[in-house]
Amino acid sequence: MIHLKKTALLLLLCLFACGGADEEEPTEQPTTPIVIEYGTVSGTVTHGGTENPIPGAVATLLEHSMETGIDGVYTFQGIPYAENYTLVVEDVDYQPYQQSFALGQERLVLNVKLLPLRAPAEELQEFLDAFSDLLESLAIENLEQIQALFSETYVAADDEATLFGVLSGIIPENYDDVLPAMTQLFEEYVTLEFLFKYVQADVTHARKASVVLSLDVTAEKGEQRDLREIKARCQFDFRREQSDWKIVHWQLFEIDIRL
């Protein structure tokens, strides 16, 4: 009987031992590190019509914004690779723009063409028409409106033809000279026809442009109503300041005065 008990006890010990040997302790599985890759998103923002660069446009990506430089370029660095991004480009003088894209490369170039809210060439023609009407009015009360058409940085060219026009009282030499020159013009002449013809606009972008045109001036001076006829070929350079176009430069290429 004792022998059987010893045998059973040995059998149980063997079973427990064998069972323990079959159970393996769990081992930790190696984890694959997550690698995040980053890229650069950049491009040039240009005027849709002329394809000239637009400075000062605001590009936004991932809640980060930057202004384009004088070359129209924007650059966002350190952007994680992902499928869904939206680039937004805004400018007060252009229609808003946005583009969806995926980033999965070291460098992605997204060039942007903006469409202007207004037609600059048409605006400049309206500007010249208004300028002509104010000059022909010969009304002293309109002098400040005329001065408002010039930028405070305005200056006339310094070539021979333009200097002759300045000395003749046709165009002001600089911004400070606008009121004195126009006042003298209004006081000396009793009739004045100031006609801009053959206008050719060269639009850089919605805030910068120039026009080349023919200027015909017919005027009667003093009580004797002496007739003066002036024909000139000239160029105006314009810049949009706030929402208004301003004259920043005036140059005469040639001038013919007939007394």
Side-chain angles (χ1 to χ4, degrees), residues 226-254:
D226 294 332
L227 184 64
R228 301 285 192 275
E229 290 183 347
I230 301 170
K231 295 184 180 296
R233 186 72 176 162
C234 61
Q235 176 174 319
F236 290 97
D237 293 337
F238 292 90
R239 180 174 62 238
R240 192 189 296 277
E241 297 180 358
Q242 302 300 324
S243 60
D244 299 322
W245 287 105
K246 305 279 188 178
I247 301 172
V248 295
H249 193 252
W250 192 348
Q251 179 178 7
L252 298 182
F253 300 131
E254 56 186 32

PDB file of all heavy atoms in Angstrom, residues 226-254:
ATOM      1  N   ASP A 226      -4.797 133.541 -76.617  1.00  0.00           N
ATOM      2  CA  ASP A 226      -3.744 133.050 -77.507  1.00  0.00           C
ATOM      3  C   ASP A 226      -3.784 131.523 -77.554  1.00  0.00           C
ATOM      4  O   ASP A 226      -3.788 130.845 -76.526  1.00  0.00           O
ATOM      5  CB  ASP A 226      -2.376 133.502 -76.998  1.00  0.00           C
ATOM      6  CG  ASP A 226      -2.216 135.013 -77.084  1.00  0.00           C
ATOM      7  OD1 ASP A 226      -2.850 135.622 -77.963  1.00  0.00           O
ATOM      8  OD2 ASP A 226      -1.480 135.574 -76.247  1.00  0.00           O
ATOM      9  N   LEU A 227      -3.766 130.981 -78.747  1.00  0.00           N
ATOM     10  CA  LEU A 227      -3.905 129.545 -78.935  1.00  0.00           C
ATOM     11  C   LEU A 227      -2.572 128.838 -78.735  1.00  0.00           C
ATOM     12  O   LEU A 227      -1.535 129.272 -79.233  1.00  0.00           O
ATOM     13  CB  LEU A 227      -4.439 129.248 -80.338  1.00  0.00           C
ATOM     14  CG  LEU A 227      -4.728 127.770 -80.643  1.00  0.00           C
ATOM     15  CD1 LEU A 227      -5.847 127.255 -79.749  1.00  0.00           C
ATOM     16  CD2 LEU A 227      -5.096 127.613 -82.125  1.00  0.00           C
ATOM     17  N   ARG A 228      -2.603 127.753 -78.002  1.00  0.00           N
ATOM     18  CA  ARG A 228      -1.430 126.897 -77.799  1.00  0.00           C
ATOM     19  C   ARG A 228      -1.820 125.466 -78.175  1.00  0.00           C
ATOM     20  O   ARG A 228      -2.871 124.968 -77.770  1.00  0.00           O
ATOM     21  CB  ARG A 228      -0.970 126.917 -76.338  1.00  0.00           C
ATOM     22  CG  ARG A 228      -0.594 128.286 -75.799  1.00  0.00           C
ATOM     23  CD  ARG A 228       0.760 128.714 -76.344  1.00  0.00           C
ATOM     24  NE  ARG A 228       1.252 129.878 -75.630  1.00  0.00           N
ATOM     25  CZ  ARG A 228       0.941 131.130 -75.911  1.00  0.00           C
ATOM     26  NH1 ARG A 228       0.075 131.367 -76.896  1.00  0.00           N
ATOM     27  NH2 ARG A 228       1.447 132.143 -75.238  1.00  0.00           N
ATOM     28  N   GLU A 229      -0.967 124.810 -78.926  1.00  0.00           N
ATOM     29  CA  GLU A 229      -1.185 123.404 -79.265  1.00  0.00           C
ATOM     30  C   GLU A 229       0.071 122.616 -78.899  1.00  0.00           C
ATOM     31  O   GLU A 229       1.177 122.984 -79.288  1.00  0.00           O
ATOM     32  CB  GLU A 229      -1.486 123.237 -80.753  1.00  0.00           C
ATOM     33  CG  GLU A 229      -2.838 123.782 -81.161  1.00  0.00           C
ATOM     34  CD  GLU A 229      -3.139 123.521 -82.635  1.00  0.00           C
ATOM     35  OE1 GLU A 229      -2.196 123.152 -83.376  1.00  0.00           O
ATOM     36  OE2 GLU A 229      -4.301 123.675 -83.012  1.00  0.00           O
ATOM     37  N   ILE A 230      -0.119 121.583 -78.159  1.00  0.00           N
ATOM     38  CA  ILE A 230       0.997 120.753 -77.693  1.00  0.00           C
ATOM     39  C   ILE A 230       0.701 119.300 -78.056  1.00  0.00           C
ATOM     40  O   ILE A 230      -0.391 118.788 -77.774  1.00  0.00           O
ATOM     41  CB  ILE A 230       1.203 120.882 -76.176  1.00  0.00           C
ATOM     42  CG1 ILE A 230       1.487 122.348 -75.808  1.00  0.00           C
ATOM     43  CG2 ILE A 230       2.321 119.968 -75.690  1.00  0.00           C
ATOM     44  CD1 ILE A 230       1.474 122.603 -74.317  1.00  0.00           C
ATOM     45  N   LYS A 231       1.654 118.669 -78.672  1.00  0.00           N
ATOM     46  CA  LYS A 231       1.544 117.248 -78.965  1.00  0.00           C
ATOM     47  C   LYS A 231       2.761 116.550 -78.365  1.00  0.00           C
ATOM     48  O   LYS A 231       3.887 117.012 -78.547  1.00  0.00           O
ATOM     49  CB  LYS A 231       1.455 116.990 -80.469  1.00  0.00           C
ATOM     50  CG  LYS A 231       0.191 117.546 -81.112  1.00  0.00           C
ATOM     51  CD  LYS A 231       0.124 117.183 -82.575  1.00  0.00           C
ATOM     52  CE  LYS A 231      -1.144 117.729 -83.221  1.00  0.00           C
ATOM     53  NZ  LYS A 231      -2.358 117.126 -82.644  1.00  0.00           N
ATOM     54  N   ALA A 232       2.495 115.474 -77.651  1.00  0.00           N
ATOM     55  CA  ALA A 232       3.598 114.775 -76.993  1.00  0.00           C
ATOM     56  C   ALA A 232       3.333 113.271 -76.997  1.00  0.00           C
ATOM     57  O   ALA A 232       2.179 112.824 -77.066  1.00  0.00           O
ATOM     58  CB  ALA A 232       3.769 115.276 -75.562  1.00  0.00           C
ATOM     59  N   ARG A 233       4.401 112.544 -76.932  1.00  0.00           N
ATOM     60  CA  ARG A 233       4.338 111.091 -76.735  1.00  0.00           C
ATOM     61  C   ARG A 233       4.931 110.832 -75.368  1.00  0.00           C
ATOM     62  O   ARG A 233       6.054 111.290 -75.065  1.00  0.00           O
ATOM     63  CB  ARG A 233       5.139 110.379 -77.822  1.00  0.00           C
ATOM     64  CG  ARG A 233       5.028 108.862 -77.820  1.00  0.00           C
ATOM     65  CD  ARG A 233       3.689 108.404 -78.300  1.00  0.00           C
ATOM     66  NE  ARG A 233       3.612 106.944 -78.396  1.00  0.00           N
ATOM     67  CZ  ARG A 233       2.478 106.267 -78.454  1.00  0.00           C
ATOM     68  NH1 ARG A 233       1.320 106.918 -78.436  1.00  0.00           N
ATOM     69  NH2 ARG A 233       2.486 104.958 -78.555  1.00  0.00           N
ATOM     70  N   CYS A 234       4.203 110.149 -74.522  1.00  0.00           N
ATOM     71  CA  CYS A 234       4.699 110.026 -73.151  1.00  0.00           C
ATOM     72  C   CYS A 234       4.318 108.689 -72.524  1.00  0.00           C
ATOM     73  O   CYS A 234       3.560 107.891 -73.100  1.00  0.00           O
ATOM     74  CB  CYS A 234       4.189 111.178 -72.296  1.00  0.00           C
ATOM     75  SG  CYS A 234       2.405 111.276 -72.152  1.00  0.00           S
ATOM     76  N   GLN A 235       4.859 108.482 -71.335  1.00  0.00           N
ATOM     77  CA  GLN A 235       4.579 107.265 -70.571  1.00  0.00           C
ATOM     78  C   GLN A 235       4.266 107.621 -69.123  1.00  0.00           C
ATOM     79  O   GLN A 235       4.958 108.430 -68.504  1.00  0.00           O
ATOM     80  CB  GLN A 235       5.774 106.297 -70.612  1.00  0.00           C
ATOM     81  CG  GLN A 235       5.583 105.045 -69.756  1.00  0.00           C
ATOM     82  CD  GLN A 235       6.703 104.042 -69.916  1.00  0.00           C
ATOM     83  OE1 GLN A 235       7.189 103.807 -71.036  1.00  0.00           O
ATOM     84  NE2 GLN A 235       7.126 103.438 -68.821  1.00  0.00           N
ATOM     85  N   PHE A 236       3.217 107.005 -68.600  1.00  0.00           N
ATOM     86  CA  PHE A 236       2.887 107.088 -67.180  1.00  0.00           C
ATOM     87  C   PHE A 236       3.186 105.731 -66.543  1.00  0.00           C
ATOM     88  O   PHE A 236       2.814 104.691 -67.101  1.00  0.00           O
ATOM     89  CB  PHE A 236       1.402 107.392 -66.959  1.00  0.00           C
ATOM     90  CG  PHE A 236       0.981 108.776 -67.340  1.00  0.00           C
ATOM     91  CD1 PHE A 236       0.412 109.036 -68.583  1.00  0.00           C
ATOM     92  CD2 PHE A 236       1.123 109.823 -66.445  1.00  0.00           C
ATOM     93  CE1 PHE A 236       0.001 110.306 -68.931  1.00  0.00           C
ATOM     94  CE2 PHE A 236       0.713 111.108 -66.778  1.00  0.00           C
ATOM     95  CZ  PHE A 236       0.158 111.351 -68.025  1.00  0.00           C
ATOM     96  N   ASP A 237       3.822 105.752 -65.385  1.00  0.00           N
ATOM     97  CA  ASP A 237       3.960 104.544 -64.575  1.00  0.00           C
ATOM     98  C   ASP A 237       3.009 104.660 -63.395  1.00  0.00           C
ATOM     99  O   ASP A 237       2.947 105.707 -62.738  1.00  0.00           O
ATOM    100  CB  ASP A 237       5.393 104.371 -64.076  1.00  0.00           C
ATOM    101  CG  ASP A 237       6.364 104.086 -65.211  1.00  0.00           C
ATOM    102  OD1 ASP A 237       5.912 103.599 -66.266  1.00  0.00           O
ATOM    103  OD2 ASP A 237       7.566 104.354 -65.049  1.00  0.00           O
ATOM    104  N   PHE A 238       2.290 103.573 -63.133  1.00  0.00           N
ATOM    105  CA  PHE A 238       1.272 103.573 -62.090  1.00  0.00           C
ATOM    106  C   PHE A 238       1.573 102.521 -61.020  1.00  0.00           C
ATOM    107  O   PHE A 238       2.189 101.486 -61.300  1.00  0.00           O
ATOM    108  CB  PHE A 238      -0.109 103.250 -62.680  1.00  0.00           C
ATOM    109  CG  PHE A 238      -0.656 104.309 -63.583  1.00  0.00           C
ATOM    110  CD1 PHE A 238      -0.403 104.282 -64.949  1.00  0.00           C
ATOM    111  CD2 PHE A 238      -1.443 105.334 -63.086  1.00  0.00           C
ATOM    112  CE1 PHE A 238      -0.925 105.246 -65.799  1.00  0.00           C
ATOM    113  CE2 PHE A 238      -1.964 106.305 -63.912  1.00  0.00           C
ATOM    114  CZ  PHE A 238      -1.701 106.259 -65.271  1.00  0.00           C
ATOM    115  N   ARG A 239       1.100 102.801 -59.823  1.00  0.00           N
ATOM    116  CA  ARG A 239       1.126 101.828 -58.732  1.00  0.00           C
ATOM    117  C   ARG A 239      -0.198 101.928 -57.982  1.00  0.00           C
ATOM    118  O   ARG A 239      -0.697 103.029 -57.745  1.00  0.00           O
ATOM    119  CB  ARG A 239       2.295 102.082 -57.782  1.00  0.00           C
ATOM    120  CG  ARG A 239       2.361 101.090 -56.617  1.00  0.00           C
ATOM    121  CD  ARG A 239       3.612 101.275 -55.772  1.00  0.00           C
ATOM    122  NE  ARG A 239       3.660 102.586 -55.153  1.00  0.00           N
ATOM    123  CZ  ARG A 239       4.647 103.460 -55.333  1.00  0.00           C
ATOM    124  NH1 ARG A 239       5.647 103.168 -56.123  1.00  0.00           N
ATOM    125  NH2 ARG A 239       4.630 104.637 -54.729  1.00  0.00           N
ATOM    126  N   ARG A 240      -0.766 100.794 -57.619  1.00  0.00           N
ATOM    127  CA  ARG A 240      -1.995 100.809 -56.829  1.00  0.00           C
ATOM    128  C   ARG A 240      -1.621 100.996 -55.361  1.00  0.00           C
ATOM    129  O   ARG A 240      -0.844 100.207 -54.798  1.00  0.00           O
ATOM    130  CB  ARG A 240      -2.785  99.507 -56.998  1.00  0.00           C
ATOM    131  CG  ARG A 240      -4.209  99.587 -56.418  1.00  0.00           C
ATOM    132  CD  ARG A 240      -4.867  98.216 -56.401  1.00  0.00           C
ATOM    133  NE  ARG A 240      -5.068  97.663 -57.718  1.00  0.00           N
ATOM    134  CZ  ARG A 240      -6.097  97.951 -58.520  1.00  0.00           C
ATOM    135  NH1 ARG A 240      -7.007  98.828 -58.124  1.00  0.00           N
ATOM    136  NH2 ARG A 240      -6.219  97.381 -59.706  1.00  0.00           N
ATOM    137  N   GLU A 241      -2.153 102.021 -54.758  1.00  0.00           N
ATOM    138  CA  GLU A 241      -1.930 102.277 -53.340  1.00  0.00           C
ATOM    139  C   GLU A 241      -3.274 102.168 -52.640  1.00  0.00           C
ATOM    140  O   GLU A 241      -4.197 102.918 -52.957  1.00  0.00           O
ATOM    141  CB  GLU A 241      -1.300 103.654 -53.136  1.00  0.00           C
ATOM    142  CG  GLU A 241       0.083 103.766 -53.783  1.00  0.00           C
ATOM    143  CD  GLU A 241       0.731 105.127 -53.589  1.00  0.00           C
ATOM    144  OE1 GLU A 241       0.093 106.009 -52.979  1.00  0.00           O
ATOM    145  OE2 GLU A 241       1.872 105.315 -54.065  1.00  0.00           O
ATOM    146  N   GLN A 242      -3.361 101.226 -51.697  1.00  0.00           N
ATOM    147  CA  GLN A 242      -4.651 100.827 -51.136  1.00  0.00           C
ATOM    148  C   GLN A 242      -5.479 100.296 -52.307  1.00  0.00           C
ATOM    149  O   GLN A 242      -5.111  99.332 -52.929  1.00  0.00           O
ATOM    150  CB  GLN A 242      -5.325 101.990 -50.407  1.00  0.00           C
ATOM    151  CG  GLN A 242      -4.496 102.587 -49.259  1.00  0.00           C
ATOM    152  CD  GLN A 242      -4.166 101.576 -48.177  1.00  0.00           C
ATOM    153  OE1 GLN A 242      -4.966 100.704 -47.862  1.00  0.00           O
ATOM    154  NE2 GLN A 242      -2.979 101.693 -47.602  1.00  0.00           N
ATOM    155  N   SER A 243      -6.580 100.946 -52.621  1.00  0.00           N
ATOM    156  CA  SER A 243      -7.413 100.456 -53.728  1.00  0.00           C
ATOM    157  C   SER A 243      -7.364 101.364 -54.951  1.00  0.00           C
ATOM    158  O   SER A 243      -8.051 101.095 -55.940  1.00  0.00           O
ATOM    159  CB  SER A 243      -8.868 100.315 -53.256  1.00  0.00           C
ATOM    160  OG  SER A 243      -9.365 101.570 -52.822  1.00  0.00           O
ATOM    161  N   ASP A 244      -6.543 102.408 -54.908  1.00  0.00           N
ATOM    162  CA  ASP A 244      -6.538 103.405 -55.980  1.00  0.00           C
ATOM    163  C   ASP A 244      -5.223 103.402 -56.754  1.00  0.00           C
ATOM    164  O   ASP A 244      -4.140 103.265 -56.174  1.00  0.00           O
ATOM    165  CB  ASP A 244      -6.756 104.809 -55.405  1.00  0.00           C
ATOM    166  CG  ASP A 244      -8.103 104.934 -54.692  1.00  0.00           C
ATOM    167  OD1 ASP A 244      -9.077 104.344 -55.184  1.00  0.00           O
ATOM    168  OD2 ASP A 244      -8.161 105.612 -53.652  1.00  0.00           O
ATOM    169  N   TRP A 245      -5.335 103.566 -58.055  1.00  0.00           N
ATOM    170  CA  TRP A 245      -4.149 103.756 -58.884  1.00  0.00           C
ATOM    171  C   TRP A 245      -3.589 105.160 -58.672  1.00  0.00           C
ATOM    172  O   TRP A 245      -4.338 106.122 -58.540  1.00  0.00           O
ATOM    173  CB  TRP A 245      -4.481 103.574 -60.360  1.00  0.00           C
ATOM    174  CG  TRP A 245      -4.725 102.155 -60.767  1.00  0.00           C
ATOM    175  CD1 TRP A 245      -5.927 101.580 -61.047  1.00  0.00           C
ATOM    176  CD2 TRP A 245      -3.735 101.131 -60.952  1.00  0.00           C
ATOM    177  NE1 TRP A 245      -5.761 100.255 -61.393  1.00  0.00           N
ATOM    178  CE2 TRP A 245      -4.420  99.956 -61.347  1.00  0.00           C
ATOM    179  CE3 TRP A 245      -2.352 101.091 -60.826  1.00  0.00           C
ATOM    180  CZ2 TRP A 245      -3.764  98.756 -61.612  1.00  0.00           C
ATOM    181  CZ3 TRP A 245      -1.689  99.896 -61.091  1.00  0.00           C
ATOM    182  CH2 TRP A 245      -2.388  98.750 -61.480  1.00  0.00           C
ATOM    183  N   LYS A 246      -2.256 105.256 -58.647  1.00  0.00           N
ATOM    184  CA  LYS A 246      -1.580 106.543 -58.493  1.00  0.00           C
ATOM    185  C   LYS A 246      -0.473 106.653 -59.554  1.00  0.00           C
ATOM    186  O   LYS A 246       0.177 105.654 -59.907  1.00  0.00           O
ATOM    187  CB  LYS A 246      -0.947 106.672 -57.107  1.00  0.00           C
ATOM    188  CG  LYS A 246      -1.907 106.465 -55.935  1.00  0.00           C
ATOM    189  CD  LYS A 246      -2.708 107.701 -55.644  1.00  0.00           C
ATOM    190  CE  LYS A 246      -3.506 107.545 -54.359  1.00  0.00           C
ATOM    191  NZ  LYS A 246      -4.282 108.759 -54.010  1.00  0.00           N
ATOM    192  N   ILE A 247      -0.247 107.874 -60.029  1.00  0.00           N
ATOM    193  CA  ILE A 247       0.870 108.113 -60.942  1.00  0.00           C
ATOM    194  C   ILE A 247       2.159 108.212 -60.129  1.00  0.00           C
ATOM    195  O   ILE A 247       2.239 108.997 -59.186  1.00  0.00           O
ATOM    196  CB  ILE A 247       0.668 109.428 -61.729  1.00  0.00           C
ATOM    197  CG1 ILE A 247      -0.629 109.378 -62.529  1.00  0.00           C
ATOM    198  CG2 ILE A 247       1.859 109.691 -62.656  1.00  0.00           C
ATOM    199  CD1 ILE A 247      -1.001 110.707 -63.173  1.00  0.00           C
ATOM    200  N   VAL A 248       3.158 107.416 -60.485  1.00  0.00           N
ATOM    201  CA  VAL A 248       4.434 107.464 -59.765  1.00  0.00           C
ATOM    202  C   VAL A 248       5.558 108.030 -60.644  1.00  0.00           C
ATOM    203  O   VAL A 248       6.604 108.432 -60.125  1.00  0.00           O
ATOM    204  CB  VAL A 248       4.836 106.072 -59.234  1.00  0.00           C
ATOM    205  CG1 VAL A 248       3.856 105.597 -58.183  1.00  0.00           C
ATOM    206  CG2 VAL A 248       4.933 105.050 -60.372  1.00  0.00           C
ATOM    207  N   HIS A 249       5.326 108.073 -61.971  1.00  0.00           N
ATOM    208  CA  HIS A 249       6.394 108.557 -62.863  1.00  0.00           C
ATOM    209  C   HIS A 249       5.756 109.034 -64.167  1.00  0.00           C
ATOM    210  O   HIS A 249       4.791 108.452 -64.644  1.00  0.00           O
ATOM    211  CB  HIS A 249       7.390 107.427 -63.136  1.00  0.00           C
ATOM    212  CG  HIS A 249       8.666 107.872 -63.773  1.00  0.00           C
ATOM    213  ND1 HIS A 249       8.975 107.593 -65.092  1.00  0.00           N
ATOM    214  CD2 HIS A 249       9.718 108.576 -63.287  1.00  0.00           C
ATOM    215  CE1 HIS A 249      10.168 108.097 -65.378  1.00  0.00           C
ATOM    216  NE2 HIS A 249      10.642 108.697 -64.312  1.00  0.00           N
ATOM    217  N   TRP A 250       6.310 110.115 -64.714  1.00  0.00           N
ATOM    218  CA  TRP A 250       5.792 110.675 -65.964  1.00  0.00           C
ATOM    219  C   TRP A 250       6.988 111.053 -66.812  1.00  0.00           C
ATOM    220  O   TRP A 250       7.866 111.811 -66.390  1.00  0.00           O
ATOM    221  CB  TRP A 250       4.924 111.897 -65.662  1.00  0.00           C
ATOM    222  CG  TRP A 250       4.106 112.408 -66.800  1.00  0.00           C
ATOM    223  CD1 TRP A 250       4.199 112.075 -68.113  1.00  0.00           C
ATOM    224  CD2 TRP A 250       3.038 113.361 -66.708  1.00  0.00           C
ATOM    225  NE1 TRP A 250       3.266 112.759 -68.857  1.00  0.00           N
ATOM    226  CE2 TRP A 250       2.535 113.550 -68.015  1.00  0.00           C
ATOM    227  CE3 TRP A 250       2.472 114.086 -65.658  1.00  0.00           C
ATOM    228  CZ2 TRP A 250       1.493 114.435 -68.288  1.00  0.00           C
ATOM    229  CZ3 TRP A 250       1.428 114.962 -65.930  1.00  0.00           C
ATOM    230  CH2 TRP A 250       0.943 115.128 -67.230  1.00  0.00           C
ATOM    231  N   GLN A 251       7.011 110.529 -68.031  1.00  0.00           N
ATOM    232  CA  GLN A 251       8.123 110.814 -68.935  1.00  0.00           C
ATOM    233  C   GLN A 251       7.605 111.205 -70.308  1.00  0.00           C
ATOM    234  O   GLN A 251       6.686 110.582 -70.839  1.00  0.00           O
ATOM    235  CB  GLN A 251       9.038 109.584 -69.082  1.00  0.00           C
ATOM    236  CG  GLN A 251      10.209 109.815 -70.031  1.00  0.00           C
ATOM    237  CD  GLN A 251      11.136 108.618 -70.126  1.00  0.00           C
ATOM    238  OE1 GLN A 251      10.840 107.551 -69.580  1.00  0.00           O
ATOM    239  NE2 GLN A 251      12.244 108.798 -70.809  1.00  0.00           N
ATOM    240  N   LEU A 252       8.194 112.251 -70.875  1.00  0.00           N
ATOM    241  CA  LEU A 252       7.895 112.662 -72.252  1.00  0.00           C
ATOM    242  C   LEU A 252       8.994 112.132 -73.173  1.00  0.00           C
ATOM    243  O   LEU A 252      10.175 112.347 -72.931  1.00  0.00           O
ATOM    244  CB  LEU A 252       7.828 114.182 -72.360  1.00  0.00           C
ATOM    245  CG  LEU A 252       6.749 114.895 -71.551  1.00  0.00           C
ATOM    246  CD1 LEU A 252       6.802 116.394 -71.830  1.00  0.00           C
ATOM    247  CD2 LEU A 252       5.372 114.357 -71.858  1.00  0.00           C
ATOM    248  N   PHE A 253       8.598 111.422 -74.217  1.00  0.00           N
ATOM    249  CA  PHE A 253       9.563 110.942 -75.198  1.00  0.00           C
ATOM    250  C   PHE A 253       9.872 112.013 -76.243  1.00  0.00           C
ATOM    251  O   PHE A 253      10.989 112.145 -76.726  1.00  0.00           O
ATOM    252  CB  PHE A 253       9.048 109.692 -75.896  1.00  0.00           C
ATOM    253  CG  PHE A 253       8.777 108.540 -74.943  1.00  0.00           C
ATOM    254  CD1 PHE A 253       7.594 107.847 -74.994  1.00  0.00           C
ATOM    255  CD2 PHE A 253       9.721 108.171 -73.984  1.00  0.00           C
ATOM    256  CE1 PHE A 253       7.340 106.792 -74.139  1.00  0.00           C
ATOM    257  CE2 PHE A 253       9.480 107.125 -73.132  1.00  0.00           C
ATOM    258  CZ  PHE A 253       8.292 106.438 -73.199  1.00  0.00           C
ATOM    259  N   GLU A 254       8.842 112.783 -76.584  1.00  0.00           N
ATOM    260  CA  GLU A 254       8.993 113.869 -77.545  1.00  0.00           C
ATOM    261  C   GLU A 254       7.880 114.866 -77.299  1.00  0.00           C
ATOM    262  O   GLU A 254       6.802 114.524 -76.797  1.00  0.00           O
ATOM    263  CB  GLU A 254       8.948 113.349 -78.987  1.00  0.00           C
ATOM    264  CG  GLU A 254       7.696 112.564 -79.301  1.00  0.00           C
ATOM    265  CD  GLU A 254       7.728 111.931 -80.683  1.00  0.00           C
ATOM    266  OE1 GLU A 254       8.823 111.567 -81.134  1.00  0.00           O
ATOM    267  OE2 GLU A 254       6.647 111.822 -81.299  1.00  0.00           O
TER     268      GLU A 254
END
